[in-house]
Amino acid sequence: VDNLRHLSEKVSLPEVSAALLNEAARICEVHLEDPDRAMQIYEDVMEQDADNLQCITALNRLYCKKKLFRPLIKILTRRAARTAGRKKARILYSVARIHHERLSEINEAIDTLEEAHQADPESSLIIGELVRLCQLVGQYEKLSQYYDKQIKLSGDKKESAAICLRLGQLYEENLR
């Protein structure tokens, strides 16, 4: 591992250096069973090449395994910033789930889902999750907006009627 790190410093091509460091990190993780050292090496590569997919994938796996959710959020957010559309929305949806389910940060989850919704405004999954979380924390103004979006996206009259009923109850009970 030390030889690979030393060799990576001598190489003039960044992609070759990154490949050598990725291999050193893989050896640490798989053969030496030293995930902390592997994470450090992968993080070093990420400082040089933030788009290194092999590092992103490995750090995703290691951070989940070690329950290091803040660094995982940082990596996923960085990845989302480099994408657009549905792919960005899916990544941000994952970040929101981590905020909510792992860190109990519901407001951060809502903020992240709203960013995901901007990336993919037609996603019923994201809108449904926004409805659920806004309802959970009592953000009734936002909840009414997301009910409205659900109605517009629904292709089923019965489903639309049920959402309209919930919207009416929301106004009756919470938005007078």
Side-chain angles (χ1 to χ4, degrees), residues 8-174:
S8 76
E9 293 169 1
K10 303 286 183 199
V11 176
S12 60
L13 295 171
E15 55 274 358
V16 174
S17 176
L20 291 168
L21 289 172
N22 279 332
E23 183 59 20
R26 190 188 68 74
I27 290 168
C28 287
E29 180 184 358
V30 175
H31 298 292
L32 302 178
E33 296 180 5
D34 188 353
D36 293 330
R37 189 170 178 199
M39 284 188 295
Q40 185 57 56
I41 295 170
Y42 285 128
E43 288 167 356
D44 291 345
V45 174
M46 291 291 292
E47 285 179 21
Q48 299 169 14
D49 180 9
D51 292 325
N52 189 303
L53 191 57
Q54 187 176 351
C55 282
I56 291 168
T57 304
L59 285 170
N60 248 331
R61 181 181 61 255
L62 290 167
Y63 288 155
C64 283
K65 189 176 185 179
K66 296 200 57 110
K67 296 182 179 6
L68 297 171
F69 299 114
R70 297 249 178 252
L72 178 57
I73 286 172
K74 186 177 177 183
I75 291 239
L76 291 172
T77 302
R78 189 181 314 156
R79 223 172 126 201
R82 289 175 164 70
T83 60
R86 285 195 172 124
K87 185 175 182 179
K88 179 177 185 169
R90 279 195 310 269
I91 294 167
L92 291 171
Y93 178 79
S94 297
V95 171
R97 290 193 55 157
I98 294 167
H99 275 299
H100 176 230
E101 295 171 8
R102 302 295 185 178
L103 300 172
S104 299
E105 298 172 343
I106 297 174
N107 289 324
E108 287 82 354
I110 290 171
D111 292 344
T112 304
L113 284 168
E114 287 176 337
E115 188 179 345
H117 177 63
Q118 289 176 355
D120 186 6
E122 303 293 312
S123 172
S124 59
L125 176 69
I126 292 169
I127 294 170
E129 190 67 9
L130 280 162
V131 163
R132 190 174 74 80
L133 294 181
C134 288
Q135 196 168 31
L136 191 64
V137 295
Q139 291 187 14
Y140 300 122
E141 289 291 334
K142 284 184 181 181
L143 179 57
S144 69
Q145 294 170 8
Y146 292 117
Y147 274 152
D148 203 40
K149 291 177 191 261
Q150 278 186 323
I151 292 166
K152 289 176 182 160
L153 288 176
S154 175
D156 181 45
K157 289 182 181 182
K158 288 182 181 181
E159 182 183 354
S160 293
I163 297 167
C164 284
L165 181 62
R166 288 194 296 272
L167 183 58
Q169 288 173 332
L170 177 67
Y171 277 110
E172 182 70 26
E173 297 169 8
N174 301 100

